[in-house]
Amino acid sequence: MKDFSRSLLLFPPVRLCRETMKEASVPLGIGYVAACAREEIDVRIMDAVVESDHERELPGGFTWYGSPLSEIRETIESYQPSIVGMTCLFSSVFPVIREVCREIKSIDPDIFTIVGGTYPNFMAERCLSDPGLDAVCLGEGEETFVEVVRALREEKSLKGVDGLAFKEKGRVVINPKTRWIENLDEIPFPARDLMRMDLYQKKGVPHSLTSSSKDLAAMITSRGCPAHCVYCSSTRFWGNRYRFRSPENVLNEIGELIGRWGVEEIQFEDDNVTANRERAKAIFRGIVERGYKIKFNFPNGVALWTLDEEMVDLMVEAGCYEMTLAFESGCQEVLSRIVKKPNNLEKAARIAEYVKGRKIRTDAFYILGFPGETREQIQETINFANRVKTDMAYFFVANPLPGTELYAVASERNMLRPDFDFENLTYTRSAYNDEVFKPGELEKIASRAFLSYALRSMIRNPGTFIRRFFIDLLFRRPRYALEVLTRIWRRAFPSSPGQ
């Protein structure tokens, strides 16, 4: 009988396209799983991204960032876990997970391997076709992982585990997710004490790429989003419901981050932290009332349709210094008819102006190339961005992620390239065939829009631009920043020398 007394939760190396900058921040997903499982089984966490500076060039214009297989092998051989759990943040990371699983099985074929995350959630059968992977956690993983541990220890069938896909006698069995954690306050805070917190201060790269302090922490206060945007699979992943932690619970975690870990900046990573307006206001009001001296931002984006002047004023008083405004499109017809995002651009532009007036640093997200969007509508988005004049704007290529309506529509209309593969998706490369957009056309439009906007931003507000891009970015991560800018330039001007 195998001894199921030790589990390794691994945040695996990431596989990113070379024009994407490496990030390294506390992995909240496995942090939550560890916090819930530690009373059931001994848990160790390995973050392969922050614990190693190893890089390896991969085919297709990708780079492996994080521990090589030899270091992962060394950890497993030393710790001897009976279960290894991993998280898959992006579909492009799964090829790495595939390699890691095969390495694990070469050490001990009886080690149980399980992975969670959005891509395996929607592509469970495909992921489980790899012989190195034993199971996929569907949806949130805290309760499912504990149930798996108990079933393995008691030698029971996994058929009784809710929200689990696994292999049995050579075939894939899928137990749909039917139970969700209704009271998020019952979940312990992420097990940050099992992580190398010192490394995030020394080597961490925040989601926002720049920050006001090295002593920062990511946190999430809710799960899901009440909107159903065409490009997003988050609502489905979280069970088509929006759940949130109480203001008191959120404030208690902020207090712990400040008191125990010396955190000076919070990065709220929610899909929609302000969807429940009164709860959000209570959080920001509570930060002030408790006397927390903290800065914070929203690198995952803020839903403009949830903001009002009172909310913005409370944010400023509580310590908000930066907002990423999720416009997604500057064309109202595209937003309403294609994206299905409840944004009124006229109102959104007004609240954005108010945010800027309160001296909050602003970024904006725009997506180009939705199915059915015309080139004229794409230009309308670029023109809108130039009128709104946020400090910076980022233009992404529409990405048909698994589990999204965008993918379903693009697939149904035969818009995708013959060699389309979820595992090679990026936000900088088009997945459409040549009949939809000419090769490199959408990438060129997005890259030129970004470079043009960056130049305008530097002219409008040179102090902010120099501080963010020359001091925070180029000075701290010169090689990464220069490589990314070089590749963006080459996509914008593909006929330039050296291309």
Side-chain angles (χ1 to χ4, degrees):
M1 181 176 179
K2 190 170 181 63
D3 175 24
F4 286 96
S5 60
R6 290 180 299 279
S7 62
L8 175 69
L9 295 180
L10 172 66
F11 189 81
V14 293
R15 173 177 170 265
L16 299 175
C17 61
R18 292 171 194 156
E19 61 269 19
T20 303
M21 197 167 293
K22 174 186 176 182
E23 299 171 16
S25 59
V26 169
L28 294 176
I30 60 174
Y32 274 116
V33 172
C36 292
R38 67 198 312 174
E39 294 185 6
E40 192 73 32
I41 188 172
D42 187 73
V43 180
R44 180 175 293 185
I45 289 177
M46 178 183 182
D47 183 346
V49 174
V50 80
E51 292 181 25
S52 175
D53 295 321
H54 174 75
E55 296 180 18
R56 174 159 62 95
E57 296 301 306
L58 301 171
F62 288 86
T63 300
W64 172 304
Y65 291 112
S67 301
L69 291 175
S70 59
E71 290 181 7
I72 297 172
R73 170 181 278 271
E74 183 179 338
T75 297
I76 292 173
E77 289 178 338
S78 171
Y79 180 53
Q80 297 184 347
S82 47
I83 303 174
V84 175
M86 287 166 281
T87 187
C88 182
L89 275 186
F90 311 107
S91 56
S92 62
V93 176
F94 194 77
V96 171
I97 291 175
R98 190 179 288 120
E99 282 194 53
V100 171
C101 285
R102 292 175 183 179
E103 188 74 12
I104 291 170
K105 293 297 186 179
S106 73
I107 299 169
D108 181 354
D110 291 329
I111 294 176
F112 188 85
T113 56
I114 180 170
V115 66
T118 307
Y119 175 63
N121 177 83
F122 293 111
M123 304 294 291
E125 289 199 48
R126 174 175 176 173
C127 292
L128 287 170
S129 67
D130 189 86
L133 182 61
D134 293 315
V136 168
C137 179
L138 306 176
E140 60 193 13
E142 293 89 353
E143 292 183 346
T144 299
F145 186 80
V146 171
E147 287 186 36
V148 167
V149 170
R150 291 172 179 167
L152 293 173
R153 180 179 295 142
E154 298 168 13
E155 296 186 300
K156 293 182 178 179
S157 171
L158 295 175
K159 287 183 177 179
V161 179
D162 186 74
L164 185 74
F166 62 98
K167 287 181 286 196
E168 184 178 73
K169 297 180 180 178
R171 68 183 187 92
V172 174
V173 178
I174 297 180
N175 299 335
K177 186 75 172 176
T178 62
R179 300 196 305 270
W180 301 86
I181 302 171
E182 297 300 334
N183 183 3
L184 298 183
D185 287 2
E186 295 177 350
I187 306 174
F189 301 151
R192 294 182 174 93
D193 58 300
L194 299 181
M195 304 180 197
R196 292 288 308 277
M197 294 296 287
D198 59 315
L199 291 181
Y200 296 103
Q201 182 186 41
K202 295 176 184 175
K203 300 165 54 178
V205 182
H207 184 180
S208 57
L209 296 184
T210 62
S211 60
S212 66
S213 171
K214 288 186 176 181
D215 297 312
L216 59 88
M219 67 180 293
I220 186 168
T221 76
S222 60
R223 295 185 175 183
C225 176
H228 295 81
C229 301
V230 68
Y231 59 85
C232 182
S233 62
S234 178
T235 298
R236 284 186 61 197
F237 178 81
W238 293 113
N240 292 304
R241 63 191 71 195
Y242 176 62
R243 294 163 293 152
F244 45 86
R245 298 162 56 189
S246 68
E248 182 180 8
N249 184 260
V250 173
L251 291 166
N252 287 344
E253 183 178 359
I254 293 174
E256 180 182 280
L257 288 170
I258 294 171
R260 184 174 183 182
W261 303 110
V263 167
E264 297 176 348
E265 177 179 337
I266 301 289
Q267 299 209 326
F268 291 106
E269 292 285 2
D270 302 49
D271 290 314
N272 197 331
V273 70
T274 53
N276 183 316
R277 291 179 175 86
E278 294 310 310
R279 182 196 79 112
K281 291 176 182 179
I283 291 171
F284 304 135
R285 195 177 293 114
I287 291 174
V288 176
E289 292 173 351
R290 293 195 183 194
Y292 291 155
K293 303 302 179 185
I294 199 81
K295 296 289 186 182
F296 61 87
N297 65 358
F298 308 90
N300 211 28
V302 176
L304 283 149
W305 47 273
T306 67
L307 299 182
D308 55 35
E309 293 182 1
E310 181 189 10
M311 176 93 75
V312 174
D313 291 343
L314 283 170
M315 288 176 168
V316 172
E317 188 179 5
C320 178
Y321 75 95
E322 180 182 65
M323 279 192 209
T324 300
L325 307 176
F327 287 101
E328 316 305 1
S329 176
C331 173
Q332 189 63 60
E333 183 181 4
V334 170
L335 273 178
S336 303
R337 183 176 61 84
I338 300 177
V339 182
K340 302 176 183 177
K341 191 179 188 74
N343 246 2
N344 179 295
L345 285 178
E346 184 179 334
K347 293 180 180 178
R350 284 202 300 268
I351 196 67
E353 194 63 32
Y354 187 81
V355 169
K356 291 188 296 178
R358 291 307 317 268
K359 307 303 181 184
I360 295 177
R361 204 164 73 189
T362 54
D363 287 345
F365 284 164
Y366 297 97
I367 302 174
L368 309 179
F370 288 106
E373 184 179 21
T374 67
R375 288 166 178 79
E376 291 74 21
Q377 289 169 328
I378 289 174
Q379 187 60 49
E380 190 174 338
T381 288
I382 296 171
N383 294 342
F384 175 86
N386 289 328
R387 287 197 304 272
V388 174
K389 296 184 177 67
T390 50
D391 290 316
M392 196 58 222
Y394 299 92
F395 300 87
F396 302 102
V397 173
N399 208 7
L401 297 171
T404 64
E405 186 181 343
L406 193 158
Y407 168 71
V409 171
S411 180
E412 181 182 311
R413 297 181 185 177
N414 296 315
M415 297 175 65
L416 303 177
R417 291 196 311 264
D419 63 346
F420 173 81
D421 188 339
F422 285 122
E423 295 179 9
N424 291 327
L425 281 179
T426 81
Y427 288 103
T428 59
R429 305 176 189 175
S430 173
Y432 297 140
N433 61 47
D434 297 352
E435 295 178 1
V436 181
F437 287 97
K438 297 176 183 177
E441 179 184 5
L442 201 52
E443 293 91 334
K444 183 192 297 184
I445 293 171
S447 298
R448 288 188 176 183
F450 170 77
L451 291 171
S452 173
Y453 203 97
L455 179 61
R456 292 166 185 257
S457 177
M458 182 172 63
I459 295 171
R460 279 197 307 267
N461 196 340
T464 298
F465 188 89
I466 290 170
R467 184 167 58 252
R468 293 186 67 186
F469 289 90
F470 287 94
I471 298 176
D472 291 350
L473 201 55
L474 281 171
F475 179 75
R476 292 181 183 176
R477 291 177 288 278
R479 184 169 64 85
Y480 289 125
L482 289 172
E483 285 180 355
V484 170
L485 289 173
T486 298
R487 292 189 178 99
I488 291 173
W489 181 268
R490 288 177 175 173
R491 288 184 182 279
F493 303 101
S495 60
S496 60
Q499 176 63 21

